[in-house]
Amino acid sequence: MSEVRLRFAPSPTGYLHVGGARTALFNWLLAKKQHGTFVLRIEDTDVTRSTQESVDAIFEGMKWLGLDWDEGPFFQSDCFPVYKEYIDRLVAEGKAYKCYCTVEELEAKREKALKEGGKPKYDGTCRDLPPQEDDGRPYVIRFRTPKEGVTSWNDLIKGKISFENAELDDLIIQRTDGTPTYNFVVVVDDVTMRMTTVIRGDDHVNNTPRQILIYEALGAPVPVFAHVPMILGADKARLSKRHGATSVMAYRDMGFLPEAMVNYLVRLGWSYGDEEIFSLTDLIEKFSIENVGRSAGVFNPDKLLWLNAHYIKTGDPVRLADLLIPFLKERGVDPAQGGPDLVAVVKTLQERAKTMLELADGALFYYKDELSYDEQGVAKAFNADTPALLTALVEKLAALPALDAAQIEQAFKELMAEKGIKLGQVGPAVRLSLSGSTASPGIYEMIETLGLTETKKRIERAIAVLCR
Ligand code: GLU
């Protein structure tokens, strides 16, 4: 079997959009699954709209998602001489021709056609002109689209799609300034880069018949196409900023993990029985383009959040701790400057945090010197007996041979038995003393994580501040 080659070909005119990321992911997965090659090509022929910032944003987004490429990045702006060669070849072979019609003439023809109820197509004035002397008149180069016949392909997602050639215009492939146009360069690149499969958004379906005719004119094999349905918002309109963030990196900044994003994106259109949780490795094994649905996926932020919570809960605490540092720094905390071990902190919080922001917010109390206390909680949890109970607890903790959760629990049990109280009579006060809040990680875990000295310090301060 010959080598399978796929590509992601973003136009660098903005950030990496979730739709683009999903297209990249599908191409990447299919390349990996079939031991093929995944190419990154930056479609920057539109120099006025392409920016280096967008190129960097694309690289950053791909790297964050873990979508590495085998070849590239290739930039279309580096390939103009190649496109020129191919255009010259088509002209020499009579498959493309110079068109001298001016913009005004074309506009007049367009208006006339519209008035007469026809399609505003190029009328072919220059299609059969005898070769002209180059007298300095500006011209474009048009592709000679066959007037008859049908162009069709078997789309891997949408099934057979056909277009009447008569519906297609004689496409401009070179502008008056000598630069090549979009549909043409895409084909030349896909030919020179030997693409075997093209997976892209279904907003390109109308380009495909034009592109197929160009492949045929170049005598090049036509790749297999798969057009992926758009992503919609909850209101069934095309996903846009109105629906929330559409930039992949905005999700990182909102505390999402790349594995949650990948898992979410792949399920937006693709399914595998009832399964919901897929790692990249699972996906390489299980993904198939045939299981991508024909209908558009609806972006569901709650499901993304659910997946993110799953990946935080089950994530490696060492890695999560590492990812958490920038979020903590944004909140003025640098765990390298002291305080409990961040990995231990993460272990106490990952069960409940849905995003890295929640994880960061939840971790703050561990690193604060002076807590403020939840007033309502204090009113309920503290009474005249509390200082003595807390002091007795600290003594018991200090006497433990090791401060682990099991022994801490044992110390609580002994305290409760000795004083004839229930956990509810001391637990909430401990929780407030250590975290300032009524919602925190488990008390035993918190004590273990803070260590004896810090636990003691916090309890003594709470007694001093709250039991005056
Ligand atoms: N540059 C195009 C886009 O960003 C992709 C073209 C293609 O995949 O053929 O939509």
Side-chain angles (χ1 to χ4, degrees), residues 7 9-11 43 182 186 200 204:
R7 84 300 195 276
S11 307
E43 304 212 314
Y182 172 74
V186 169
R200 61 186 173 199
H204 288 285

Side-chain angles (χ1 to χ4, degrees), residues 6-7 15 25 29 101 141 164 180 197 210 235 272 274 301 315 325 332 341 391 404 418:
L6 296 104
R7 84 300 195 276
Y15 48 72
L25 176 62
L29 284 171
C101 297
I141 294 180
E164 295 282 336
T197 308
R210 302 170 211 283
D235 57 359
Y272 192 79
D274 294 337
I325 293 171
D341 172 42
T391 309
D404 61 44
E418 282 167 24

Side-chain angles (χ1 to χ4, degrees), residues 256-287:
F256 288 84
L257 294 176
E259 53 270 41
M261 203 69 202
V262 162
N263 194 150
Y264 183 69
L265 288 176
V266 81
R267 284 282 296 105
L268 256 181
W270 173 81
S271 57
Y272 192 79
D274 294 337
E275 282 181 45
E276 285 295 351
I277 306 289
F278 301 94
S279 67
L280 267 184
T281 326
D282 291 336
L283 287 172
I284 293 171
E285 191 198 315
K286 294 175 177 166
F287 182 78

